Amino acid sequence: MNQYILQTEDVAIHYGGVKALDGVDLTLEKGQIRGLIGPNGAGKSTVIDAITGRRKLTRGRVVLAGEDVSHLGAVERRMRGLSRSFQRTSIFGGMPVRKQVELASYKMGVADSADDAEAVLQELDLIRLGNTLAEDLGYGEQRRLDLALALVGRPKVLMLDEPMAGLSVKESQDLAQHLKALTSRWEVSVLLVEHDMDVVFGISDAVTVFELGRVIASGDPAAVRANPRVREAYLGSAA
Ligand SMILES: Nc1ncnc2c1ncn2[C@@H]1O[C@H](COP(=O)(O)OP(=O)(O)OP(=O)(O)O)[C@@H](O)[C@H]1O
Ligand SMILES: [Mg+2]
């Protein structure tokens, strides 16, 4: 029995001569938050694209709850529980928050989409904004709506690409708390790409460091932070 909810095995994505990813092995346990860090162009976003099925693999496979999903399209993977947030692109400005979340749930084929939406809104403290039009939300609230749309249908894995970008310190902490709560209450597992090191090291159970499409360090946050190669490649300037 495989204890991982998600695994990538020897995943590679090459664009002509550019090895955006080259031999990436990642694991994610149930309810775990794994932070993905690395310099610009290291391949962090490409890993998420590879897992969600947005980019075709050059090599390797993606395994969700023991099932090889490498041959499936992005929509099928979402149906099986691999979800990502898209930072606003999926929001309709003129529609109230609750309606949007219900619609997203309905489109997922959830049997009781009203209940599903309500639970998501509750979890993200969006109930009081249920009747507010998305275009009238503050930036931080819009980000929470993004997250809500990614959470309909109770995904197994949530992938977030720089969700804290543009948020105030207070809003970032708030979002981090919600993520942490989700992992314990809903047993959602999270892959978090984030440049804010305080956030990453503050909430991750494990951290993986990328450089030039490869994993250069992975494991316990404290050990990763202390790793000389990581400090040199990435944290050097900040440390
Ligand atoms: N469609 C594409 N065609 C060619 N090369 C690409 C394509 N998409 C990404 N790349 C290259 O793949 C590499 C990894 O890019 P990626 O966007 O995954 O990095 P990243 O770690 O997310 O960086 P950032 O922190 O800036 O978001 C880079 O060298 C990038 O130029
Ligand atoms: Mg990126």
Side-chain angles (χ1 to χ4, degrees):
M1 180 58 196
N2 187 333
Q3 84 268 35
Y4 299 118
I5 194 72
L6 179 72
Q7 269 177 291
T8 69
E9 293 172 4
D10 191 33
V11 161
I13 292 188
H14 299 174
Y15 296 109
V18 179
K19 295 180 174 177
L21 293 178
D22 202 32
V24 171
D25 295 308
L26 272 186
T27 60
L28 191 62
E29 292 168 24
K30 204 172 187 182
Q32 188 180 43
I33 299 181
R34 180 177 290 277
L36 306 183
I37 64 172
N40 293 120
K44 308 177 298 293
S45 297
T46 307
V47 164
I48 293 187
D49 289 343
I51 294 170
T52 58
R54 203 160 175 231
R55 291 270 180 272
K56 207 169 157 355
L57 305 185
T58 304
R59 194 176 77 229
R61 44 181 222 144
V62 176
V63 180
L64 176 69
E67 182 195 8
D68 184 348
V69 296
S70 313
H71 60 289
L72 299 178
V75 174
E76 285 170 293
R77 292 190 205 190
R78 173 66 176 93
M79 291 300 195
R80 279 177 169 68
L82 280 178
S83 186
R84 77 183 296 170
S85 88
F86 271 106
Q87 304 190 348
R88 293 227 254 172
T89 51
S90 40
I91 291 181
F92 301 107
M95 200 187 277
V97 168
R98 175 175 286 105
K99 265 241 128 43
Q100 273 198 63
V101 179
E102 278 179 17
L103 181 63
S105 178
Y106 176 78
K107 280 190 184 162
M108 277 281 299
V110 175
D112 195 337
S113 45
D115 267 9
D116 182 38
E118 200 64 15
V120 170
L121 293 174
Q122 182 86 50
E123 188 62 31
L124 295 181
D125 270 339
L126 285 168
I127 296 281
R128 70 184 171 81
L129 295 171
N131 298 321
T132 306
L133 298 183
E135 62 197 12
D136 293 332
L137 295 176
Y139 187 66
E141 293 162 348
Q142 288 199 5
R143 282 300 174 80
R144 256 188 295 149
L145 175 53
D146 274 329
L147 189 54
L149 296 173
L151 282 171
V152 298
R154 299 252 176 167
K156 297 184 177 77
V157 177
L158 182 63
M159 284 160 280
L160 304 171
D161 199 348
E162 302 189 30
M164 314 294 177
L167 297 186
S168 69
V169 173
K170 163 88 178 59
E171 287 168 332
S172 294
Q173 286 170 348
D174 212 49
L175 189 57
Q177 296 248 307
H178 281 300
L179 288 179
K180 208 65 192 167
L182 276 166
T183 60
S184 62
R185 278 208 285 271
W186 284 19
E187 290 193 314
V188 176
S189 310
V190 178
L191 277 185
L192 173 69
V193 174
E194 182 52 55
H195 279 292
D196 185 331
M197 290 301 115
D198 289 339
V199 169
V200 172
F201 284 97
I203 67 169
S204 299
D205 304 298
V207 173
T208 298
V209 188
F210 286 82
E211 190 186 30
L212 299 171
R214 293 181 155 275
V215 172
I216 60 163
S218 191
D220 177 69
V224 166
R225 195 167 212 165
N227 182 314
R229 182 147 178 225
V230 174
R231 296 182 85 84
E232 189 189 336
Y234 186 55
L235 295 170
S237 53

